[in-house]
Amino acid sequence: MNTQKKVYFLTTAHAYDDDRILYHQAKTLIASGYHVKITSLSSDFSGCVQGIEVYAKNCISEYSISQKKDFLLAQLYDYSPDVIICSEPLTVDAASTYRKTHTCVVVYDVTEWYPTKRQYADVFVLLRPFIFFAYFMYNLVSGKRADAFIFGEEYKQYPFKLVFPKKKRILLPYYPHPDYIFFKKKMLNPSKLCLCYTGRISKENGTFRFLHVAHKFIQQNPHVDVSILLVGNPKTAVDAEKLHEAMRMYMFENITHIPFTHFLNYTKVLQDVDICFDLRDMSVENSYSLPIKLFYYVACGKPILYTKSKAISKHMDISKYGFLVNPDNTAEIVEKIQRYVKNPHVYEAHSSAARDAFLKKYNWKKIEQSFISYIQSLCNGI
């Protein structure tokens, strides 16, 4: 137990109640005797959550870069942390400035590619390589400024692992804690099927592919009573309009759209779902990214149909509880759904294997002690 050390989580892009930051890392450290605080620039809240101090201000769009850094520095000077866990380059920048006059450890928790396509999507095409290079170098400098790393997945270790091989690091995947999983054993009824997509509603994320697949399956299997669950919000006006058009075009008889559900209710929403989908674009960025929600589907015992991904294939054998598919091959995906309907024993085997994989491996309780030990080792070096 460490009753003296303070750990401060800084994030610009995530909300203060981000599942990884608040409900897994921060809660684990609080339970281990640390003082913990979270500051976010993408949400508003001031107070205490389950023993964790929070000061969040939604100023990500309002403040300039220098103003954001100054805001973060003011919070750092006020809290005087021993360990600062940073989620983005700007937070590393602020933390390293603070470290110049205070003894602390700066940890870069890498869970996203930086830059992402969205960061330069609106830039003139000929300028994109230069913008990408500038962002990439900024991220690399952040790695240099950090004292240690936490990586959410294996591929996200690069280029840091190669450029800074001597810096401490830990691989801490996005496994969910059993406390946040509402599990309901589901037996497949071949004449009644619930198909589900959760996440950002957009073309890139595959929402409209999912709706098209559902439409085709219904057309080819009129004897099956199909319901559709859509959980998530469009992020742009264009995506909202595309969703409206898709709803009008397909005229689904039984579709439920839940714009938002809190993390603590997320798996409860999935209790009556039969199959979960993620048919995102087959881009390089997506192929080398490990989706967080994948582990929640597995924990709930839900068979999954996912876009082919090198990251997923490297991390797990998904053939035991689902299929990796070409997201643009609608016929192939429909055939996979039909395979479950025609062979309920295959569905049962995949569902049981998914739940078993969660209980034995893809489970926060299996890795939380390594996280505690890692933070303790960093504190010991101060």
Side-chain angles (χ1 to χ4, degrees):
M1 299 283 283
N2 194 318
T3 58
Q4 301 299 319
K5 300 298 184 182
K6 293 181 177 180
V7 180
Y8 202 171
F9 290 88
L10 297 182
T11 178
T12 57
H14 300 288
Y16 75 91
D17 58 350
D18 176 81
D19 61 298
R20 177 175 173 86
I21 295 173
L22 175 62
Y23 290 104
H24 288 87
Q25 293 175 326
K27 281 195 65 176
T28 292
L29 293 178
I30 276 286
S32 299
Y34 290 86
H35 298 287
V36 181
K37 183 176 180 179
I38 300 171
T39 283
S40 162
L41 303 190
S42 296
S43 53
D44 284 309
F45 183 79
S46 180
C48 195
V49 180
Q50 300 182 38
I52 301 160
E53 188 178 343
V54 177
Y55 184 64
K57 182 178 176 64
N58 193 359
C59 58
I60 187 73
S61 301
E62 177 186 348
Y63 283 9
S64 66
I65 292 175
S66 61
Q67 286 176 317
K68 292 171 193 172
K69 182 178 176 180
D70 288 343
F71 178 84
L72 292 171
L73 277 170
Q75 304 312 309
L76 286 166
Y77 290 132
D78 179 66
Y79 190 61
S80 300
D82 300 290
V83 178
I84 309 168
I85 301 180
C86 308
S87 297
E88 300 87 13
L90 181 58
T91 58
V92 176
D93 188 5
S96 62
T97 299
Y98 170 82
R99 187 185 53 201
K100 291 177 181 179
T101 54
H102 295 73
T103 301
C104 65
V105 177
V106 177
V107 184
Y108 190 6
D109 185 7
V110 182
T111 61
E112 306 284 351
W113 289 116
Y114 192 93
T116 66
K117 289 193 301 181
R118 288 193 295 272
Q119 287 176 292
Y120 53 89
D122 297 329
V123 176
F124 181 58
V125 174
L126 295 180
L127 293 178
R128 288 180 187 176
F130 302 100
I131 299 299
F132 175 87
F133 181 74
Y135 276 126
F136 177 82
M137 290 306 298
Y138 182 41
N139 196 33
L140 202 59
V141 168
S142 298
K144 184 177 186 300
R145 288 170 172 162
D147 299 304
F149 295 99
I150 298 172
F151 295 108
E153 51 195 274
E154 192 162 339
Y155 283 121
K156 298 280 173 66
Q157 295 181 99
Y158 301 98
F160 305 109
K161 184 178 178 179
L162 297 176
V163 181
F164 312 109
K166 294 183 179 180
K167 290 194 176 187
K168 285 188 175 183
R169 62 181 181 271
I170 185 176
L171 188 63
L172 195 72
Y174 317 121
Y175 301 165
H177 194 291
D179 287 352
Y180 308 131
I181 302 301
F182 180 84
F183 174 67
K184 177 183 177 182
K185 180 67 176 176
K186 191 83 164 59
M187 303 300 292
L188 184 69
N189 179 349
S191 63
K192 190 174 183 180
L193 201 61
C194 181
L195 310 178
C196 174
Y197 168 86
T198 72
R200 179 182 177 183
I201 293 179
S202 70
K203 178 180 180 298
E204 178 188 356
N205 287 53
T207 313
F208 308 116
R209 290 190 186 95
F210 163 69
L211 293 174
H212 182 64
V213 165
H215 173 68
K216 286 297 181 182
F217 178 81
I218 291 170
Q219 279 188 328
Q220 296 177 27
N221 300 269
H223 60 287
V224 181
D225 180 10
V226 178
S227 60
I228 299 165
L229 177 62
L230 210 59
V231 182
N233 249 330
K235 293 295 183 182
T236 68
V238 173
D239 291 331
E241 179 58 30
K242 286 183 178 178
L243 177 61
H244 180 71
E245 289 177 4
M247 295 289 202
R248 187 172 59 238
M249 178 170 59
Y250 297 132
M251 295 189 296
F252 294 114
E253 291 185 7
N254 190 356
I255 185 168
T256 300
H257 178 207
I258 302 175
F260 171 80
T261 184
H262 191 275
F263 166 71
L264 295 177
N265 296 321
Y266 178 63
T267 58
K268 289 182 181 179
V269 170
L270 302 178
Q271 61 181 304
D272 294 321
V273 167
D274 291 301
I275 307 171
C276 293
F277 294 76
D278 192 309
L279 304 176
R280 62 186 62 194
D281 288 353
M282 291 182 70
S283 64
V284 173
E285 190 175 304
N286 286 337
S287 185
Y288 287 93
S289 296
L290 197 58
I292 294 176
K293 60 186 175 182
L294 171 69
F295 298 108
Y296 287 82
Y297 295 157
V298 168
C300 291
K302 304 299 181 185
I304 45 188
L305 283 123
Y306 257 77
T307 293
K308 290 177 182 177
S309 159
K310 293 183 184 297
I312 294 176
S313 297
K314 190 174 183 64
H315 197 88
M316 61 172 63
D317 181 6
I318 205 170
S319 65
K320 294 180 179 179
Y321 28 84
F323 302 98
L324 293 180
V325 298
N326 178 341
D328 294 314
N329 191 336
T330 302
E332 175 196 7
I333 302 168
V334 169
E335 186 275 327
K336 301 299 185 191
I337 305 172
Q338 290 173 332
R339 187 179 303 185
Y340 283 134
V341 172
K342 293 176 182 177
N343 304 281
H345 67 280
V346 174
Y347 179 91
E348 169 63 20
H350 280 194
S351 176
S352 297
R355 179 64 180 174
D356 192 53
F358 165 69
L359 294 174
K360 293 181 178 178
K361 186 174 182 180
Y362 306 125
N363 181 326
W364 177 257
K365 295 187 76 172
K366 302 294 183 182
I367 61 174
E368 68 176 346
Q369 186 55 52
S370 63
F371 174 59
I372 295 167
S373 298
Y374 183 65
I375 298 301
Q376 185 61 58
S377 71
L378 296 178
C379 289
N380 291 340
I382 297 176

